[in-house]
Amino acid sequence: MSIKLVNINYVYSKKTAYEKKALTNVSLEIQNGEFIGLIGHTGSGKSTLIQHLNGLIKATSGHIYYDGEDIYANKYNMKELRSKVGLVFQYPEHQLFETTILEDVKFGPKNLGLSEEEVEQRAKDALRQVGLAEELWDKSPFDLSGGQKRRVAIAGVLAMHPEVLILDEPTAGLDPKGRDEILGEIAKLHKERKITIVLVSHSMEDVADYVERIIVMNHSKVFADGTPKEVFMKYKELEKIGLAAPQVTYVMNELKEKGIDVDTTATTVAEAKDSILAWARKNNWIEDKVEA
């Protein structure tokens, strides 16, 4: 499975006084099983881009291929595409509407024409996967906390058994504990189910900790595309477009400037710790058996 975008352009309110170009000649490919972080300042084109991936928005020009098939081809099954490429919106209220949590999660698989038994099983499995307590399943989704609503929205997509899961700011507005729980569940899904994940986030720390590849959008174009190390090495260029690197990047570069030979490509606290300890041992600041 892959999603390939070739010269995608999208213009809002075309040929009006409000015309705005949201995507400009975007070409990229998402491979099976990747965990991708999509970052960019507000208005850079992130949300518009992800809505193209399952056909919610049709490009003004260009082509998108899912598993080698052009999704804009005549008679292409767009409904099937949306069952394979699941999108969880930033605001879970936009996806929740049933009277109970269980019924809400069952809605998607019901539309796949599955048996009632299969629908029920998929919904329960998905709710367990996102860690939502069983005693809540008969409650209204609108009585839940923000983090719980997000879990239900994610479960509703997972119950469709998608091949690709796209999450638009899934931790927005959550406290640190809630954020860690949601991202932990997403990382677990990626590891256990080998599902392709596209994570849209404003948190550089979250992106650095979890993803394998980062795509940076800026003014409707792809500004950078690479591993976290490759992207965050260009932190000064990111600053020029209103973004930043993880705090670890700045700390390690400051240490380097002070003559401490550490790895400035470290993007996580764990990597920074290992690099600092290695330097300290090399310079006899600590014994090998000592751990920070």
PDB file of all heavy atoms in Angstrom, residues 212-224:
ATOM      1  N   GLU A 212       8.836   8.599  12.454  1.00  0.00           N
ATOM      2  CA  GLU A 212      10.042   8.154  11.755  1.00  0.00           C
ATOM      3  C   GLU A 212      10.425   9.120  10.620  1.00  0.00           C
ATOM      4  O   GLU A 212      11.563   9.120  10.158  1.00  0.00           O
ATOM      5  CB  GLU A 212       9.803   6.769  11.149  1.00  0.00           C
ATOM      6  CG  GLU A 212       9.386   5.729  12.170  1.00  0.00           C
ATOM      7  CD  GLU A 212       8.647   4.544  11.565  1.00  0.00           C
ATOM      8  OE1 GLU A 212       8.136   4.660  10.432  1.00  0.00           O
ATOM      9  OE2 GLU A 212       8.577   3.500  12.237  1.00  0.00           O
ATOM     10  N   ARG A 213       9.435   9.889  10.200  1.00  0.00           N
ATOM     11  CA  ARG A 213       9.635  10.803   9.070  1.00  0.00           C
ATOM     12  C   ARG A 213       8.809  12.059   9.312  1.00  0.00           C
ATOM     13  O   ARG A 213       7.702  11.977   9.847  1.00  0.00           O
ATOM     14  CB  ARG A 213       9.194  10.120   7.768  1.00  0.00           C
ATOM     15  CG  ARG A 213       9.172  10.990   6.520  1.00  0.00           C
ATOM     16  CD  ARG A 213       8.586  10.194   5.369  1.00  0.00           C
ATOM     17  NE  ARG A 213       8.330  11.012   4.185  1.00  0.00           N
ATOM     18  CZ  ARG A 213       7.580  10.610   3.167  1.00  0.00           C
ATOM     19  NH1 ARG A 213       7.014   9.409   3.180  1.00  0.00           N
ATOM     20  NH2 ARG A 213       7.370  11.412   2.126  1.00  0.00           N
ATOM     21  N   ILE A 214       9.352  13.200   8.935  1.00  0.00           N
ATOM     22  CA  ILE A 214       8.647  14.468   9.109  1.00  0.00           C
ATOM     23  C   ILE A 214       8.496  15.171   7.765  1.00  0.00           C
ATOM     24  O   ILE A 214       9.456  15.271   6.991  1.00  0.00           O
ATOM     25  CB  ILE A 214       9.407  15.401  10.082  1.00  0.00           C
ATOM     26  CG1 ILE A 214       9.463  14.778  11.483  1.00  0.00           C
ATOM     27  CG2 ILE A 214       8.731  16.776  10.147  1.00  0.00           C
ATOM     28  CD1 ILE A 214      10.323  15.566  12.455  1.00  0.00           C
ATOM     29  N   ILE A 215       7.272  15.626   7.505  1.00  0.00           N
ATOM     30  CA  ILE A 215       7.001  16.467   6.336  1.00  0.00           C
ATOM     31  C   ILE A 215       6.637  17.850   6.872  1.00  0.00           C
ATOM     32  O   ILE A 215       5.742  17.982   7.700  1.00  0.00           O
ATOM     33  CB  ILE A 215       5.854  15.901   5.487  1.00  0.00           C
ATOM     34  CG1 ILE A 215       6.223  14.516   4.940  1.00  0.00           C
ATOM     35  CG2 ILE A 215       5.522  16.851   4.326  1.00  0.00           C
ATOM     36  CD1 ILE A 215       5.065  13.776   4.280  1.00  0.00           C
ATOM     37  N   VAL A 216       7.359  18.857   6.410  1.00  0.00           N
ATOM     38  CA  VAL A 216       7.125  20.234   6.853  1.00  0.00           C
ATOM     39  C   VAL A 216       6.448  21.011   5.727  1.00  0.00           C
ATOM     40  O   VAL A 216       6.954  21.054   4.604  1.00  0.00           O
ATOM     41  CB  VAL A 216       8.440  20.946   7.227  1.00  0.00           C
ATOM     42  CG1 VAL A 216       8.147  22.338   7.778  1.00  0.00           C
ATOM     43  CG2 VAL A 216       9.232  20.126   8.237  1.00  0.00           C
ATOM     44  N   MET A 217       5.297  21.611   6.057  1.00  0.00           N
ATOM     45  CA  MET A 217       4.592  22.451   5.084  1.00  0.00           C
ATOM     46  C   MET A 217       4.843  23.924   5.395  1.00  0.00           C
ATOM     47  O   MET A 217       4.924  24.330   6.554  1.00  0.00           O
ATOM     48  CB  MET A 217       3.093  22.172   5.136  1.00  0.00           C
ATOM     49  CG  MET A 217       2.683  20.771   4.722  1.00  0.00           C
ATOM     50  SD  MET A 217       3.039  20.411   2.990  1.00  0.00           S
ATOM     51  CE  MET A 217       1.935  21.581   2.170  1.00  0.00           C
ATOM     52  N   ASN A 218       4.954  24.723   4.338  1.00  0.00           N
ATOM     53  CA  ASN A 218       5.124  26.176   4.501  1.00  0.00           C
ATOM     54  C   ASN A 218       4.526  26.879   3.292  1.00  0.00           C
ATOM     55  O   ASN A 218       4.919  26.611   2.151  1.00  0.00           O
ATOM     56  CB  ASN A 218       6.609  26.533   4.631  1.00  0.00           C
ATOM     57  CG  ASN A 218       6.809  28.024   4.839  1.00  0.00           C
ATOM     58  OD1 ASN A 218       6.141  28.641   5.661  1.00  0.00           O
ATOM     59  ND2 ASN A 218       7.731  28.608   4.083  1.00  0.00           N
ATOM     60  N   HIS A 219       3.548  27.741   3.544  1.00  0.00           N
ATOM     61  CA  HIS A 219       2.905  28.508   2.477  1.00  0.00           C
ATOM     62  C   HIS A 219       2.500  27.630   1.294  1.00  0.00           C
ATOM     63  O   HIS A 219       2.862  27.900   0.151  1.00  0.00           O
ATOM     64  CB  HIS A 219       3.823  29.640   2.003  1.00  0.00           C
ATOM     65  CG  HIS A 219       4.069  30.687   3.047  1.00  0.00           C
ATOM     66  ND1 HIS A 219       3.050  31.331   3.715  1.00  0.00           N
ATOM     67  CD2 HIS A 219       5.230  31.191   3.555  1.00  0.00           C
ATOM     68  CE1 HIS A 219       3.565  32.191   4.577  1.00  0.00           C
ATOM     69  NE2 HIS A 219       4.885  32.112   4.520  1.00  0.00           N
ATOM     70  N   SER A 220       1.792  26.556   1.608  1.00  0.00           N
ATOM     71  CA  SER A 220       1.171  25.648   0.627  1.00  0.00           C
ATOM     72  C   SER A 220       2.134  24.678  -0.048  1.00  0.00           C
ATOM     73  O   SER A 220       1.725  23.868  -0.871  1.00  0.00           O
ATOM     74  CB  SER A 220       0.404  26.437  -0.443  1.00  0.00           C
ATOM     75  OG  SER A 220       1.258  26.981  -1.439  1.00  0.00           O
ATOM     76  N   LYS A 221       3.416  24.734   0.310  1.00  0.00           N
ATOM     77  CA  LYS A 221       4.406  23.863  -0.321  1.00  0.00           C
ATOM     78  C   LYS A 221       5.105  22.968   0.704  1.00  0.00           C
ATOM     79  O   LYS A 221       5.115  23.277   1.891  1.00  0.00           O
ATOM     80  CB  LYS A 221       5.460  24.696  -1.049  1.00  0.00           C
ATOM     81  CG  LYS A 221       4.917  25.564  -2.167  1.00  0.00           C
ATOM     82  CD  LYS A 221       6.035  26.383  -2.796  1.00  0.00           C
ATOM     83  CE  LYS A 221       5.504  27.267  -3.918  1.00  0.00           C
ATOM     84  NZ  LYS A 221       6.583  28.088  -4.541  1.00  0.00           N
ATOM     85  N   VAL A 222       5.707  21.876   0.219  1.00  0.00           N
ATOM     86  CA  VAL A 222       6.533  21.027   1.074  1.00  0.00           C
ATOM     87  C   VAL A 222       7.876  21.735   1.254  1.00  0.00           C
ATOM     88  O   VAL A 222       8.623  21.945   0.298  1.00  0.00           O
ATOM     89  CB  VAL A 222       6.743  19.626   0.466  1.00  0.00           C
ATOM     90  CG1 VAL A 222       7.722  18.824   1.312  1.00  0.00           C
ATOM     91  CG2 VAL A 222       5.409  18.886   0.362  1.00  0.00           C
ATOM     92  N   PHE A 223       8.167  22.104   2.502  1.00  0.00           N
ATOM     93  CA  PHE A 223       9.404  22.828   2.817  1.00  0.00           C
ATOM     94  C   PHE A 223      10.549  21.864   3.101  1.00  0.00           C
ATOM     95  O   PHE A 223      11.695  22.119   2.746  1.00  0.00           O
ATOM     96  CB  PHE A 223       9.161  23.729   4.023  1.00  0.00           C
ATOM     97  CG  PHE A 223      10.360  24.474   4.503  1.00  0.00           C
ATOM     98  CD1 PHE A 223      10.761  25.641   3.870  1.00  0.00           C
ATOM     99  CD2 PHE A 223      11.106  24.018   5.593  1.00  0.00           C
ATOM    100  CE1 PHE A 223      11.880  26.345   4.309  1.00  0.00           C
ATOM    101  CE2 PHE A 223      12.216  24.706   6.033  1.00  0.00           C
ATOM    102  CZ  PHE A 223      12.606  25.876   5.393  1.00  0.00           C
ATOM    103  N   ALA A 224      10.237  20.751   3.773  1.00  0.00           N
ATOM    104  CA  ALA A 224      11.260  19.754   4.114  1.00  0.00           C
ATOM    105  C   ALA A 224      10.599  18.392   4.267  1.00  0.00           C
ATOM    106  O   ALA A 224       9.415  18.297   4.607  1.00  0.00           O
ATOM    107  CB  ALA A 224      11.980  20.133   5.393  1.00  0.00           C
TER     108      ALA A 224
END
